[in-house]
């Protein structure tokens, strides 16, 4: 890589790594260390082909998705994360609004961590990345029907794992300033 390419890559990493890390955290079920490893590996692969990449962010995201697919296909068992119960919400003040948004993020993060890697990846791609089913199917190397059924089963499991999401409701999710850990609108 020449000096100009090296500088462009450094700027890309500096400007886009936090957004890419958020996606990696969601894909890895909230395990920040695994997410950092996932992103680091994706950036290393992108650096090797940097001169030939037209859309760097799309390329790195594609690597993230494919690496996550490869991880869930591995035969060895991964350790499971345990998630503590979220704190109880307080009253109806402005602090309570911020608290309920934080509660929603905590509950959502915990519920996503308890899904399988495949279920979590499908939900992240469909709702966090807002990709159509056909694109998700292409990225994951499966049929559109598989994406639909996995999405349906994943949402049902999410509702079963975290019924408290229905009490927090989608109105609380709309108050959040970012898409951080709230990719799915869960209805009762």
């Amino acid at each position: 890589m020449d000096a100009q390419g090296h500088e462009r890559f450094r700027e890309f990493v500096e400007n886009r790594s936090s957004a890419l890390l958020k996606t990696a955290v969601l894909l890895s079920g909230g395990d920040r260390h695994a997410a950092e490893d996932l992103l680091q590996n994706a950036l290393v692969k992108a650096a090797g082909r940097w001169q030939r990449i037209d859309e760097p962010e799309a390329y790195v995201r594609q690597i993230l998705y494919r690496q996550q697919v490869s991880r869930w296909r591995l035969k060895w068992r991964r350790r499971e994360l345990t998630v503590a119960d979220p704190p109880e919400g307080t009253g109806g003040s402005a602090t309570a609004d911020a608290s309920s948004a934080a509660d929603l993020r905590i509950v959502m993060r915990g519920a996503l961590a308890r899904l399988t890697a495949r279920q979590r990846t499908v939900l992240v791609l469909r709702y966090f990345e807002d990709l159509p089913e056909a694109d998700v199917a292409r990225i994951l190397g499966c049929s559109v029907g598989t994406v639909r059924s996995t999405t349906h089963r994943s949402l049902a499991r999410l509702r079963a794992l975290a019924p408290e999401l229905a009490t927090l409701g989608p109105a609380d999710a709309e108050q959040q300033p970012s898409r951080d850990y709230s990719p799915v609108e869960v209805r009762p």
Side-chain angles (χ1 to χ4, degrees):
M1 180 181 327
D2 62 1
Q4 183 182 12
H6 182 66
E7 182 61 26
R8 280 186 40 238
F9 181 74
R10 189 191 62 74
E11 287 174 6
F12 170 77
V13 170
E14 187 176 301
N15 294 331
R16 299 304 305 154
S17 62
S18 66
L20 292 168
L21 183 60
K22 285 180 184 179
T23 299
V25 167
L26 288 170
L27 289 171
S28 64
D31 184 349
R32 185 167 176 92
H33 297 293
E36 289 171 351
D37 288 345
L38 191 66
L39 179 58
Q40 185 68 31
N41 290 337
L43 290 173
V44 166
K45 287 182 179 183
R49 298 184 51 94
W50 189 252
Q51 300 293 13
R52 295 177 294 244
I53 299 173
D54 294 329
E55 296 182 36
E57 185 162 356
Y59 187 83
V60 172
R61 285 182 185 277
Q62 184 80 8
I63 294 171
L64 285 173
Y65 306 145
R66 290 186 178 186
Q67 282 185 307
Q68 185 60 27
V69 168
S70 295
R71 283 185 179 191
W72 87 50
R73 289 181 177 160
L74 291 175
K75 301 268 185 224
W76 55 276
R77 301 194 55 80
R78 294 175 21 135
R79 68 181 166 90
E80 292 292 322
L81 298 175
T82 58
V83 180
D85 291 330
E88 294 295 322
T90 54
S93 66
T95 306
D97 291 340
S99 174
S100 75
D103 288 348
L104 179 63
R105 284 192 305 273
I106 290 168
V107 170
M108 181 59 72
R109 184 176 183 178
L112 284 172
R114 294 183 298 204
L115 293 176
T116 66
R118 182 181 189 101
Q119 290 173 328
R120 187 172 46 248
T121 302
V122 168
L123 291 180
V124 168
L125 291 173
R126 284 286 291 130
Y127 298 103
F128 183 75
E129 295 293 329
D130 199 26
L131 294 176
E133 292 168 339
D135 289 351
V136 174
R138 183 183 46 76
I139 289 169
L140 298 180
C142 62
S143 70
V144 173
T146 300
V147 171
R148 286 181 184 152
S149 63
T150 303
T151 301
H152 177 74
R153 284 191 306 272
S154 302
L155 289 174
R157 183 154 185 238
L158 202 67
R159 289 183 190 105
L161 288 172
E164 59 271 30
L165 289 173
T167 63
L168 294 172
D172 293 332
E174 292 170 3
Q175 295 174 1
Q176 293 186 35
S178 70
R179 300 184 310 182
D180 198 21
Y181 302 117
S182 60
V184 180
E185 178 181 305
V186 179
R187 297 182 187 136

